[in-house]
Amino acid sequence: MYWEKDVETMDRADLAGLQLQRLNASLTQAKRSAFYGKRFSSTSYNDEILELRDLSRIPFTTKDDLRNAFPYGFLSVDLQEVIRLHSSSGTTGNPTVVFHTASDIDRWGNLIARCMYTTGVRKHDVFQNMMGYGLFTGGLGFHYGAEKLGVMTIPIGPGNSKRQIWFLKQLKATVIHILPSYALRLYSFFEELEVDPKRDLHLRIAFIGAEPHSEEIRKKIELLYGIKVYNSYGLSEMCGPGVAFECECQDGLHVWEDHFYPEIIDPDTGEVLPDGERGELVLTTLSREAMPLVRYRTRDLTRFLPGKCPCGRTHRRIDRITGRSDDMLIINGVNIFPIQIEKTLMAIPEIGRNYLIEIHKESFMDKLSVKVEINEEVFQGTLAELEKLQGKAVAALRTELGVTPSVKLVEPSSLPVSEGKAQRVYDYRDGEKGSL
Ligand code: AMP
Ligand code: ZN
């Protein structure tokens, strides 16, 4: 059974005691890594933390820290203890890699089992996991959790929509894990195949996450499929999914505070904000062995929700993520920094200096388009050459980003230049049309 009543409904004071004890153990463990060993060698960070709020005197850890310490700078155990590596998408230069020992994987599986159990998933369910398997944490994370619950798991991964529907129908799947954008797109295939999910399937629950989505999107999926949809939040730096999850009340996501210590900070000043104010979520791992992270800046914007949750769990809830404090874009679940697009385009000699990035919604999926000027000194001006160049740019971007954008080549100096900071990213996903 994965209803850990004692810990999930623990009295706040007891929970704080547990967190403090785990925090100090975690700091000791972190010091074994090259990165924290160096950072904590100064005596002021070396003392035991006596009160949780004293954590704020320790500096943040950032994504750049992880990249600069690639590959093993954050590893806190011997390599022979490590059994798994995951990596976040959306990297410029070195990827961020995260290591797990056998007990890290075990704890993560328990957490996902807890999340699934919370929403009513039981042994008799059939779980079709439509999230990507591989370096991305969505697929394998849920896979291990579902197996712990004893639920038959179909590791189908994303895409191949007609086959997905065939499996859903034939295997009588009751639970799915899916990107919200894909859930909406998949629906158009139901229409094409004349399958009515409400009439012809046995689905009752979906877990959605990995990309920002609104309450309206959740409601829409619930309505189309006739199921309950729960928001799942996580990031590969913490483990992946399983950091915060909605309970049956569907009003905010409980952060599993026995394993993660959350803070909300002002992204500009770095100050810890009073409860209820919106800011950036900072997380500290409390039980990770291979790679503890201290005050990791997630860049995700949210707030703590006030009051107690009617479900009885005492772990604090965060509001759904409303955006990010950096320029990272999430395109159908894949993380992309605009600088990756710039770097890739500028490495092609026939490409000029200026470019624009637009993102739209098309059949519920994110569509990335890039408009870029050609370099007239290199470009000879034939149509065949233009087509070749376009193909080259698309292929280079696909390799770098892991998603395929559409590329439109335009004449030199024809794109607008702004005074001051260039605005190159136009996100029209909330409904506006854009120009590409
Ligand atoms: P990754 O480490 O590649 O799995 O990406 C993690 C990022 O995905 C997070 O930092 C968030 O920006 C985003 N993300 C994950 N889950 C959610 C969610 N439920 N709602 C909004 N954004 C999410
Ligand atoms: Zn609750």
Side-chain angles (χ1 to χ4, degrees):
M1 179 163 115
Y2 283 89
W3 161 228
E4 297 173 87
K5 186 165 190 268
D6 288 353
V7 67
E8 289 177 49
T9 61
M10 200 178 234
D11 174 82
R12 288 294 311 173
D14 293 343
L15 186 57
L18 177 73
Q19 288 182 310
L20 188 62
Q21 175 217 328
R22 289 190 171 177
L23 176 64
N24 279 305
S26 199
L27 291 175
T28 305
Q29 178 70 0
K31 281 178 215 161
R32 301 201 170 109
S33 71
F35 178 86
Y36 289 119
K38 189 161 169 234
R39 172 168 280 184
F40 295 150
S41 58
S42 109
T43 45
S44 65
Y45 301 139
N46 225 353
D47 313 334
E48 192 186 335
I49 300 268
L50 297 176
E51 272 190 84
L52 285 168
R53 63 163 179 259
D54 292 344
L55 183 61
S56 64
R57 55 184 175 78
I58 295 186
F60 297 115
T61 306
T62 65
K63 208 174 183 77
D64 275 344
D65 290 331
L66 295 185
R67 287 200 190 115
N68 294 337
F70 177 85
Y72 293 124
F74 276 86
L75 190 60
S76 294
V77 295
D78 287 341
L79 198 55
Q80 63 190 13
E81 303 296 323
V82 175
I83 62 157
R84 175 95 69 81
L85 169 145
H86 279 286
S87 174
S88 173
S89 51
T91 51
T92 50
N94 293 338
T96 40
V97 286
V98 181
F99 303 99
H100 301 264
T101 63
S103 61
D104 287 332
I105 294 291
D106 196 50
R107 268 188 297 273
W108 183 18
N110 287 341
L111 272 178
I112 295 288
R114 181 194 285 182
C115 296
M116 294 179 87
Y117 194 92
T118 291
T119 59
V121 180
R122 296 292 181 271
K123 261 175 113 58
H124 53 74
D125 276 301
V126 174
F127 172 51
Q128 189 157 322
N129 193 2
M130 302 187 193
M131 283 283 189
Y133 278 72
L135 287 175
F136 174 58
T137 54
L140 283 167
F142 263 73
H143 186 98
Y144 277 64
E147 286 192 347
K148 284 211 172 235
L149 269 186
V151 174
M152 183 175 96
T153 302
I154 308 171
I156 195 162
N160 207 340
S161 301
K162 290 186 180 164
R163 195 165 65 127
Q164 297 279 5
I165 294 172
W166 190 85
F167 265 87
L168 285 172
K169 213 172 151 187
Q170 301 298 324
L171 276 304
K172 301 188 171 48
T174 51
V175 181
I176 56 173
H177 180 210
I178 188 168
L179 281 177
S181 51
Y182 186 48
L184 292 170
R185 176 151 170 71
L186 189 64
Y187 193 77
S188 53
F189 287 88
F190 282 113
E191 285 176 323
E192 193 186 320
L193 298 173
E194 293 180 7
V195 173
D196 176 356
K198 291 199 274 290
R199 184 194 61 209
D200 304 325
L201 301 183
H202 294 75
L203 279 184
R204 46 186 205 95
I205 292 174
F207 303 119
I208 59 170
E211 62 185 12
H213 57 280
S214 57
E215 184 58 35
E216 289 67 33
I217 291 287
R218 181 238 292 277
K219 294 232 171 77
K220 196 167 184 148
I221 301 171
E222 289 196 325
L223 210 68
L224 289 173
Y225 286 76
I227 56 176
K228 280 267 181 211
V229 173
Y230 296 95
N231 191 354
S232 152
Y233 169 79
L235 60 161
S236 47
E237 292 86 342
M238 289 296 115
C239 59
V243 174
F245 213 82
E246 277 182 339
C247 64
E248 64 271 26
C249 303
Q250 291 181 300
D251 183 18
L253 300 92
H254 289 281
V255 180
W256 298 128
E257 290 189 88
D258 49 336
H259 294 282
F260 306 98
Y261 182 74
E263 299 167 278
I264 303 283
I265 64 155
D266 177 327
D268 297 324
T269 64
E271 291 299 313
V272 176
L273 292 172
D275 271 15
E277 280 189 35
R278 192 171 290 280
E280 180 183 330
L281 179 67
V282 168
L283 292 166
T284 298
T285 63
L286 296 177
S287 58
R288 282 264 295 280
E289 226 176 43
M291 196 170 149
L293 289 180
V294 185
R295 304 197 84 207
Y296 182 70
R297 287 192 65 159
T298 67
R299 297 288 176 182
D300 292 320
L301 301 174
T302 182
R303 68 185 172 111
F304 287 121
L305 293 181
K308 287 185 183 152
C309 186
C311 77
R313 290 181 185 80
T314 48
H315 297 221
R316 277 179 294 174
R317 289 165 303 155
I318 51 168
D319 206 353
R320 67 172 60 248
I321 308 291
T322 50
R324 293 185 49 89
S325 67
D326 62 7
D327 57 355
M328 189 173 93
L329 302 165
I330 304 187
I331 309 289
N332 300 319
V334 178
N335 305 347
I336 290 173
F337 285 96
I339 197 79
Q340 288 176 274
I341 296 178
E342 176 170 312
K343 180 182 94 168
T344 309
L345 291 173
M346 295 305 130
I348 304 174
E350 300 92 331
I351 294 273
R353 281 182 306 278
N354 209 357
Y355 65 95
L356 288 183
I357 299 166
E358 284 195 0
I359 307 138
H360 305 88
K361 280 273 179 214
E362 207 177 278
S363 321
F364 306 115
M365 298 292 276
D366 300 329
K367 187 146 180 358
L368 179 68
S369 314
V370 180
K371 214 178 201 180
V372 61
E373 292 176 2
I374 48 182
N375 179 351
E376 63 186 355
E377 283 150 35
V378 180
F379 181 70
Q380 296 305 309
T382 68
L383 205 61
E385 206 185 0
L386 202 66
E387 272 173 23
K388 216 168 106 194
L389 178 57
Q390 192 176 24
K392 191 169 160 183
V394 170
L397 288 169
R398 183 191 312 131
T399 307
E400 168 68 24
L401 309 174
V403 301
T404 309
S406 69
V407 172
K408 187 172 176 187
L409 299 168
V410 298
E411 291 189 2
S413 311
S414 64
L415 292 178
V417 277
S418 39
E419 276 179 29
K421 203 167 144 61
Q423 196 194 342
R424 293 215 164 90
V425 181
Y426 295 85
D427 199 334
Y428 296 111
R429 280 178 285 193
D430 55 6
E432 279 181 77
K433 257 183 121 350
S435 68
L436 293 179

